[in-house]
Amino acid sequence: MLGNSIYNSIETAKNGTQIPVLKNGKTIESRYNPQNEAQRFTGDITQNDRFIIVLGIAGGTLINSILEKNKDAFILAIETCREDIEFLKQIPLVKELSERSNVCLTCQDDFYNELIKTYIPAFYGNIKIIEQKSWCMENAEAKENILKTMNEALKIVSQDFSVQAHFGKIWNDNIIKNLILSGDIKLNKEIIGNIDNKKEAVVVAAGPSLDSKLKELISNKNKYYIIATDTAYSILSKNNITSDAVISIDGQSVSYTHFMGQKDYSSTLFIFDLSANNSAVNHLACKNANILFSYNNHPLSTFAAKRFEGRFINLYTGSGTVTIAALDFARLCGFKNIRIIGADFSYINGKPYAKATYLDSIYSKNSSRLLSTENQFSKLMFRTPIIKVNNKQFTTEVLLSYKTGLEEYLKAYDSTYTNENSEYKICLKNQTGENKVLLTVNKVFKNSYSFNDFIKEFEQNYSPDALKNSLNDLSEYDICLLPLMSQLKMNENINNESFSSLLNIAYKTLLRYN
C-alpha cells in the first residue's frame, strides 16, 4: 500500500518537542506537552510487557515513553506507508529510535513479515498493543487492516510455536544423535558422482494419484532419476522400483517403518535431515547404506553446519514438506527437467495416501469390528475441517499451504511449470548442469569431524549466568536451544520458571549427550 504520506509538516509543541502535522492540519500528539499525554497511555506498562505493538509512530514520544518504563521491551511500531516513516525520520527522536536494535519502525505492507520475523513467543511471552488514539481515529481503516494482518501473522507464529513445543525435544535428540553418528557413516561418493542430471528427475510423493502413475514409472524407470519421499519409498520398493535417492525430514518414530523390509540398499542414496528420526538412520547405517545428511533452518542444525562447513547439504523444506525438500535436492543435483507425481495436496476418492504405505499395515493390524481400517483412515482425514475441491476430492488449509509453498518455491527459481492431473512438469531455466551435492560431498572427505569438539565449544562459550533481558542479549548458543526450550515451557512442572532458567535447563539437557 504505497501511497502519499498522511503528514504535511513538522511543528514545535509548546514545550519544545517536535511533532508531525497531518495534511488536514491536525496533530497526532499534544501541541502543548506530548510527554504528559504519552505517559497517560503507558501507565500500565510493566517489566513483563516485552513485545509491544504501537499503532502510529508520529513524533516518537509514545515509543520513547514506553522505553522509559521498560528499556528492554521490543517495540514494533506501524505507520500507513513507507513514505510516512521516511518523513517522520526528519524528527531527531524518530531518527534515534529507528537506529535502536529493540525498535522496528514498519508500515502496513511490511508488518506481516516483520511480526513473523521478530515475535518469538517463548522469549517475549504475550503481545501488548498500544494505540496512538488520535492516529487510530484518523486512520480507522488502516487500524482495522493492521489488526486483521496481526491475527493472520499470529496464526502462523502460533502454529510454529505449537510445532516447536511438540517436537522440540524430538528434534534436539535426533540432531545430537545424528551428529554423533555422522562421523562414522561411510558414503560412496560415486553414487553422487554418477548422477546423470541430463535425465528427467521424478520426485515421487505418496498421494492417492501415485497408484495410477506406477505402471508408467515401472515401464520407463531407466529413463528417470527417481527421488522418493520417505513415505513413497516403501510403495516403490513393494512395486520393485528402485529409488535412486530418498529424502526424509520427519523426526517422528513412525518414519522408521518406511525403511523396513528392503533387501538391498546399496543402489540408493538416503538423504536425512539432521532432525530426522535417528532410529531410521541407525537402521540404514547398520545395513551399510549410503547416507548423506542435510539441514534446514533449525538453529542447532544450522549451527552444526557452520561448524563443520561443507559436511551437510542445505535443503529447503518450506513449511516442513518433504516434497519441497526432494525438489530442492533435484535442483542442487543440477536437473533441469523435473516431474513431481503423487503430490496431490488433497484426499482423492476417500484416500489420504497411495496403496502400501505404512498406514495400511498399521491400521490393518489395529482393525476390529468397532474400529475398522476405513474408520481409522476417516479419522485421519477428518481431524481438521475440510474444503471441497470437487465430488471426488477435498483438501484442508494445511494441505493447501503446502501446495502454495511448493508453487512459491517454483516461482522463486524462475521455473516454468504445468500442473495437470496431480502431476507437475517443471523446467528450471537457470540450471547450469553443476552437481552442487557432489561438491559438498567432496568436502566431506576432506574435513575432519568430532562431536566431542562440538560439545566442548558449547561448554566453553555458553554463559548460563549472562543477562538475557532482550533478544539482543541472546548468543548463537542460546538461539540453538530455543526450540527445545519451547517444549520445556509447556511442561507444567517448570513452565513458571524464568526464560533464563528454562534456557539453562535446555543447555544441561544438551550436555548429557557428552
Side-chain angles (χ1 to χ4, degrees), residues 344-443:
D344 303 309
F345 303 112
S346 60
Y347 305 135
I348 301 174
N349 293 324
K351 295 170 58 179
Y353 291 107
K355 294 176 184 176
T357 66
Y358 69 102
L359 287 176
D360 286 342
S361 58
I362 291 174
Y363 287 174
S364 294
K365 286 178 183 178
N366 294 330
S367 180
S368 67
R369 289 183 180 182
L370 296 177
L371 188 64
S372 67
T373 301
E374 289 79 7
N375 283 341
Q376 293 177 81
F377 273 117
S378 294
K379 191 175 180 180
L380 170 69
M381 290 185 287
F382 291 98
R383 66 191 187 276
T384 58
I386 62 168
I387 301 166
K388 185 177 179 180
V389 179
N390 53 51
N391 288 335
K392 294 184 177 181
Q393 187 177 9
F394 56 89
T395 186
T396 67
E397 280 191 13
V398 172
L399 292 175
L400 285 176
S401 71
Y402 292 160
K403 181 179 180 181
T404 299
L406 173 65
E407 294 182 353
E408 285 178 351
Y409 174 95
L410 293 172
K411 291 174 185 175
Y413 283 99
D414 194 27
S415 63
T416 57
Y417 68 92
T418 60
N419 177 19
E420 297 178 3
N421 300 318
S422 296
E423 180 174 326
Y424 285 84
K425 292 184 178 179
I426 302 159
C427 177
L428 295 177
K429 297 178 185 178
N430 297 324
Q431 289 289 59
T432 62
E434 181 182 41
N435 186 342
K436 295 177 182 177
V437 177
L438 181 60
L439 297 178
T440 297
V441 170
N442 285 333
K443 289 182 181 179

Side-chain angles (χ1 to χ4, degrees), residues 121-135:
F123 182 78
Y124 289 116
N126 295 329
I127 289 177
K128 190 179 187 70
I129 301 173
I130 295 182
E131 301 177 1
Q132 293 263 18
K133 298 298 183 185
S134 298
W135 188 93

Side-chain angles (χ1 to χ4, degrees), residues 181-189 191-192 268-270 284-293 311 441 444-445:
L181 196 59
S182 175
D184 298 324
I185 285 177
K186 307 300 179 187
L187 174 66
N188 178 8
K189 65 178 180 178
I191 199 169
I192 300 173
T268 301
L269 172 65
F270 295 90
L284 290 172
C286 291
K287 301 289 184 181
N288 295 315
N290 291 291
I291 297 173
L292 182 64
F293 284 109
R311 192 168 190 89
V441 170
V444 170
F445 284 82

Side-chain angles (χ1 to χ4, degrees), residues 169-185 273-279 281-282 293 300 449 451 454-455 510 512-513:
K169 189 173 187 303
I170 295 173
W171 288 336
N172 194 79
D173 286 351
N174 285 330
I175 291 169
I176 296 300
K177 289 175 181 176
N178 286 331
L179 285 172
I180 293 170
L181 196 59
S182 175
D184 298 324
I185 285 177
D273 188 89
L274 280 171
S275 63
N277 180 252
N278 175 256
S279 295
V281 177
N282 199 48
F293 284 109
L300 184 57
Y449 174 88
F451 178 74
F454 177 78
I455 289 295
L510 183 71
R512 69 190 175 100
Y513 293 97

Side-chain angles (χ1 to χ4, degrees), residues 7-264:
Y7 297 102
N8 182 53
S9 60
I10 296 169
E11 70 176 40
T12 302
K14 295 293 184 182
N15 70 347
T17 303
Q18 286 192 307
I19 57 174
V21 181
L22 296 168
K23 287 185 175 178
N24 61 12
K26 298 179 181 179
T27 61
I28 300 300
E29 294 143 317
S30 167
R31 280 187 158 101
Y32 294 91
N33 194 324
Q35 285 76 15
N36 281 350
E37 181 183 61
Q39 286 171 10
R40 291 200 300 272
F41 295 143
T42 59
D44 62 344
I45 294 289
T46 71
Q47 294 303 305
N48 293 326
D49 298 316
R50 305 182 69 187
F51 194 99
I52 300 172
I53 293 175
V54 176
L55 303 186
I57 296 169
T61 308
L62 179 59
I63 299 172
N64 197 54
S65 180
I66 294 170
L67 293 173
E68 287 175 351
K69 296 285 179 65
N70 186 353
K71 63 182 177 62
D72 295 317
F74 184 90
I75 296 176
L76 185 59
I78 309 158
E79 277 290 340
T80 56
C81 64
R82 298 184 187 105
E83 288 153 321
D84 287 343
I85 297 172
E86 291 308 309
F87 176 84
L88 294 172
K89 283 183 182 178
Q90 297 176 73
I91 299 172
L93 177 58
V94 176
K95 176 69 174 173
E96 178 190 336
L97 290 169
S98 73
E99 294 169 352
R100 291 188 59 153
S101 59
N102 62 330
V103 176
C104 176
L105 307 184
T106 191
C107 64
Q108 288 186 79
D109 276 353
D110 300 331
F111 175 53
Y112 179 88
N113 289 331
E114 288 293 346
L115 183 55
I116 288 177
K117 182 173 72 175
T118 55
Y119 178 50
I120 301 174
F123 182 78
Y124 289 116
N126 295 329
I127 289 177
K128 190 179 187 70
I129 301 173
I130 295 182
E131 301 177 1
Q132 293 263 18
K133 298 298 183 185
S134 298
W135 188 93
C136 290
M137 290 174 63
E138 294 293 330
N139 297 283
E141 184 179 351
K143 173 188 171 181
E144 185 178 340
N145 290 334
I146 288 167
L147 294 177
K148 182 179 178 182
T149 300
M150 182 186 73
N151 289 330
E152 291 171 354
L154 289 180
K155 186 176 179 181
I156 300 299
V157 173
S158 176
Q159 288 172 351
D160 185 50
F161 178 71
S162 296
V163 170
Q164 289 190 35
H166 183 74
F167 289 105
K169 189 173 187 303
I170 295 173
W171 288 336
N172 194 79
D173 286 351
N174 285 330
I175 291 169
I176 296 300
K177 289 175 181 176
N178 286 331
L179 285 172
I180 293 170
L181 196 59
S182 175
D184 298 324
I185 285 177
K186 307 300 179 187
L187 174 66
N188 178 8
K189 65 178 180 178
E190 288 184 6
I191 199 169
I192 300 173
N194 292 334
I195 291 174
D196 183 1
N197 56 25
K198 292 182 176 58
K199 284 184 174 182
E200 184 176 36
V202 179
V203 172
V204 185
S209 68
L210 177 58
D211 290 336
S212 64
K213 310 288 183 182
L214 288 173
K215 188 175 180 180
E216 191 269 339
L217 203 58
I218 293 169
S219 302
N220 298 281
K221 58 184 177 182
N222 292 328
K223 231 175 98 177
Y224 305 126
Y225 184 84
I226 298 173
I227 306 171
T229 61
D230 47 7
T231 310
Y233 171 62
S234 58
I235 300 173
L236 298 182
S237 297
K238 288 171 184 175
N239 285 277
N240 297 314
I241 301 173
T242 300
S243 301
D244 295 294
V246 180
I247 313 291
S248 184
I249 66 173
D250 190 355
Q252 299 177 92
S253 58
V254 72
S255 298
Y256 179 79
T257 61
H258 301 318
F259 305 98
M260 298 292 291
Q262 285 76 33
K263 294 179 180 178
D264 182 16

